Amino acid sequence: MKRTLAILGLLAMTLTGAQSCGKKPIAPPVINQPGGGSDSGDDNPAGGTVTDDGCLAPWTEGCLDIHFINSGRGECAFFIYPDGTQLLVDCGASIMQFDSGENLGYPQVGIYPKPDNSKVAGYWYTEYIKKCMAWTGNNTIDYAVNTHFDGDHLGVGYAGYGVTPPTSPFGNWYQTGFTYLLDNLKFGKMIDRGYPSYDYPYAQEGTVKTNCDNYRKCADYHEKQGDIKRERFIAGSNTQLAAKKASSYPTFKVQNIFVNGTIWTGKGTETRELFPPQSEMSGTGAAKEKSPSENSCSCVIKISYGNFDYYGGGDAGFNGATSFAWKDVEGNVAPIVGPVDVMKATHHGSADGCSQTLLSTLAPSDIIVNVWQAVQPRAVTYERMISSSTNGGKSRIHTTNINEAYKSTEYSDKGKRIVGTECHIVVRVDPEGRKYSIYHLDASDQQMKMKVLRTFGPFTSK
């Protein structure tokens, strides 16, 4: 069945309490050719102009865009390649219900849903992405990568904390993160770390299984309908996420670095195994210490464009509390990746992510932290980020959200190095990757106008 016909039949869905999926289906994006829109702002080499109504100017061909979309519930990054190919990495939707400014049943007071709690996170991601599609002339998410199966990257598959997500009109699954987008937007390939067997490193348990089962019902349906193709993420590949017009942009490359213990060696498509054999793993009891966590199995990528480099490591961090050296994914990945301009903070800046080894080796000029919990980034991680061992202590730290009370009490210098709150963060790289700029866009209201709050750069790529 054609996705467009199916969407026209989308039933009205509601959420318990304040949340609602809305009474109307999401309309397909209005597609304009690249370069449209009013532009009365000051130009810079990264194409980072501001329109006369204060919004970010449209992407134009030749530029690379990276949009960190802030829902306050997890991670979601939307990439526009120089040729207009579109990549979505993660679509997090951890369910939280708020009342009178407080979070009920979940200890994350201070970080609230963006722009509000009236719709599921997937709805807001969809609205944002449609605006980007209108810039590119491409109404398809060519590639979607789910780095791992935690709810803040995939979307939860259950009701909880006083909230019941809407169910899909197409089948028996909840619409939260990826499942909402799969039901409402056009996709090319859906790529994850588990397809097709979903049994690595062992049989899934608990909420990870619940989240993944919910996602698989949705993906299975759309695959059978011919709406999507599905693949397992391939470590070492530099073609699985390639630009559609790769020959037109020879300096642009997406390199798959790591997944499920398989790590690229840095040579061709050659890989090696970091984790022990699956036969030696177990997911029960004390034996879990002998197995990688869900986070440790995350898909890891590096994107290069001319002199510009970006690192996205999902939640694949390090584990300082274990005697198993193979659990230090970051320490093994770092020398293969090398210096970058921008990196996404591993595991939202939690204590087990962004090791000093990773930060010292990558030496990022800019670190993007997707914050959805009040204690992110952790104070100990922040200290590593501003350390003289990290890019000479000059790294800029951008957060989508911040808990001001936590910021003022936990950080040694009161968090003065942290910028950004209630914002989407956009990295825009100019043609050939010579320079890039970073924009903070207002995420606090329903208008989704991409209003520019702050501009950083342009910076010369390394």
Side-chain angles (χ1 to χ4, degrees):
M1 145 190 339
K2 295 291 187 181
R3 174 76 51 81
T4 52
L5 294 177
I7 291 174
L8 292 175
L10 186 63
L11 301 176
M13 298 291 168
T14 58
L15 283 167
T16 301
Q19 280 189 312
S20 171
C21 184
K23 295 183 178 181
K24 295 181 179 180
I26 293 178
V30 176
I31 304 299
N32 300 316
Q33 291 303 310
S38 174
D39 178 5
S40 61
D42 295 328
D43 199 3
N44 71 41
T49 54
V50 178
T51 63
D52 53 12
D53 59 355
C55 295
L56 181 67
W59 166 92
T60 55
E61 188 168 348
C63 290
L64 165 66
D65 267 17
I66 309 172
H67 295 252
F68 299 91
I69 310 174
N70 180 13
S71 71
R73 300 187 190 179
E75 292 195 4
C76 182
F78 187 73
F79 298 73
I80 305 176
Y81 294 4
D83 68 339
T85 301
Q86 296 174 152
L87 163 68
L88 177 67
V89 177
D90 287 331
C91 196
S94 284
I95 290 179
M96 295 181 288
Q97 176 68 49
F98 292 79
D99 183 31
S100 301
E102 295 298 320
N103 185 336
L104 303 180
Y106 203 65
Q108 307 304 339
V109 177
I111 303 299
Y112 302 100
K114 303 295 181 301
D116 57 34
N117 206 35
S118 64
K119 304 285 193 302
V120 292
Y123 173 90
W124 298 117
Y125 294 142
T126 301
E127 289 298 289
Y128 188 107
I129 289 169
K130 286 195 301 181
K131 293 180 182 293
C132 296
M133 287 180 166
W135 295 345
T136 65
N138 180 2
N139 69 349
T140 300
I141 298 175
D142 299 287
Y143 309 109
V145 174
N146 169 232
T147 61
H148 62 294
F149 302 127
D150 284 335
D152 57 326
H153 292 257
L154 175 66
V156 297
Y158 55 90
Y161 311 118
V163 177
T164 300
T167 54
S168 173
F170 308 120
N172 185 28
W173 59 86
Y174 289 125
Q175 291 181 322
T176 54
F178 265 118
T179 52
Y180 191 98
L181 271 71
L182 284 167
D183 280 352
N184 288 280
L185 289 175
K186 183 178 178 181
F187 284 71
K189 290 184 179 180
M190 183 73 229
I191 301 166
D192 59 51
R193 73 168 196 83
Y195 182 81
S197 58
Y198 295 91
D199 60 356
Y200 185 88
Y202 42 76
Q204 294 175 336
E205 304 171 324
T207 58
V208 169
K209 175 176 172 52
T210 303
N211 298 338
C212 192
D213 286 350
N214 187 70
Y215 156 72
R216 289 176 66 183
K217 290 177 185 177
C218 177
D220 286 349
Y221 170 83
H222 289 295
E223 183 180 31
K224 290 178 181 177
Q225 298 301 314
D227 297 332
I228 60 172
K229 295 181 179 179
R230 296 165 73 187
E231 295 179 357
R232 190 168 186 157
F233 187 86
I234 304 171
S237 174
N238 60 17
T239 59
Q240 189 175 32
L241 302 174
K244 299 298 185 182
K245 300 177 183 177
S247 61
S248 299
Y249 297 94
T251 67
F252 178 82
K253 181 175 72 172
V254 182
Q255 178 68 57
N256 295 3
I257 303 290
F258 173 90
V259 68
N260 292 342
T262 303
I263 186 170
W264 181 49
T265 65
K267 300 177 181 179
T269 59
E270 182 181 276
T271 60
R272 66 181 177 89
E273 295 304 315
L274 176 62
F275 295 170
Q278 190 172 2
S279 61
E280 298 178 13
M281 299 180 186
S282 173
T284 59
K288 282 186 177 179
E289 175 64 3
K290 297 179 181 179
S291 300
S293 67
E294 179 62 31
N295 288 340
S296 296
C297 295
S298 293
C299 304
V300 176
I301 63 172
K302 178 181 180 180
I303 294 180
S304 301
Y305 185 33
N307 291 332
F308 175 86
D309 292 290
Y310 165 83
Y311 174 79
D315 283 356
F318 71 105
N319 189 340
T322 180
S323 59
F324 295 108
W326 56 263
K327 284 194 173 184
D328 183 6
V329 175
E330 289 186 338
N332 284 274
V333 161
I336 298 168
V337 174
V340 301
D341 298 282
V342 179
M343 68 170 283
K344 181 198 78 70
T346 313
H347 202 191
H348 322 275
S350 295
D352 63 351
C354 298
S355 67
Q356 193 61 68
T357 298
L358 184 75
L359 291 169
S360 297
T361 306
L362 270 58
S365 299
D366 293 273
I367 303 171
I368 313 297
V369 190
N370 294 278
V371 174
W372 72 278
Q373 294 186 355
V375 293
Q376 295 170 344
R378 286 283 188 175
V380 65
T381 311
Y382 171 73
E383 294 299 329
R384 294 194 293 262
M385 290 176 176
I386 66 172
S387 164
S388 60
S389 298
T390 303
N391 192 38
K394 299 177 182 179
S395 297
R396 294 172 289 267
I397 304 168
H398 308 259
T399 60
T400 52
N401 301 291
I402 199 70
N403 182 306
E404 291 297 337
Y406 179 77
K407 176 180 176 180
S408 65
T409 59
E410 295 297 321
Y411 302 131
S412 60
D413 64 351
K414 306 306 180 186
K416 293 180 181 178
R417 295 279 297 280
I418 292 177
V419 291
T421 181
E422 295 193 351
C423 62
H424 311 292
I425 299 174
V426 180
V427 178
R428 178 165 287 174
V429 186
D430 82 337
E432 301 305 323
R434 294 182 295 266
K435 293 183 181 293
Y436 69 96
S437 296
I438 297 180
Y439 304 90
H440 293 186
L441 310 183
D442 188 6
S444 64
D445 63 54
Q446 292 185 341
Q447 296 185 38
M448 304 289 286
K449 291 183 66 176
M450 294 191 173
K451 181 180 179 181
V452 176
L453 300 177
R454 306 172 191 86
T455 303
F456 303 85
F459 306 113
T460 301
S461 303
K462 293 178 179 178

